[in-house]
Amino acid sequence: MWKVFIVICALGNPCVIMEEDPIQHYTDYDKCMQVAEKKHDMIKDSFSVYGFHVENTEFSCVKVDNLTNS
């Protein structure tokens, strides 16, 4: 299983690590990455709208061990 994580670093602020809330788990890495990219773009855009200078961003999916589909 996979979960989304996003890191946003805005100038003058500490970097923020984000996860979905509630956390969603994906069985397919590619599907997880599609969701991560979409959410990343939305969050990055909203930071800019509120006047933050986004210095660096990253998104990916992390493998979560010991989970099943049940």
Side-chain angles (χ1 to χ4, degrees):
M1 304 287 281
W2 300 90
K3 70 177 182 176
V4 169
F5 84 91
I6 298 168
V7 179
I8 303 282
C9 301
L11 194 60
N13 295 287
C15 294
V16 179
I17 300 171
M18 300 178 187
E19 297 179 334
E20 290 180 292
D21 185 22
I23 294 175
Q24 300 292 313
H25 293 101
Y26 302 90
T27 56
D28 181 69
Y29 175 79
D30 292 331
K31 174 63 177 167
C32 183
M33 285 299 290
Q34 289 174 353
V35 171
E37 182 175 15
K38 186 176 183 179
K39 290 184 180 277
H40 166 265
D41 292 344
M42 290 176 7
I43 292 168
K44 185 174 71 170
D45 291 346
S46 66
F47 266 67
S48 296
V49 165
Y50 288 102
F52 291 97
H53 175 74
V54 177
E55 186 174 31
N56 192 15
T57 66
E58 183 177 326
F59 66 92
S60 192
C61 291
V62 180
K63 182 128 175 86
V64 179
D65 295 325
N66 302 324
L67 289 180
T68 63
N69 271 345
S70 56

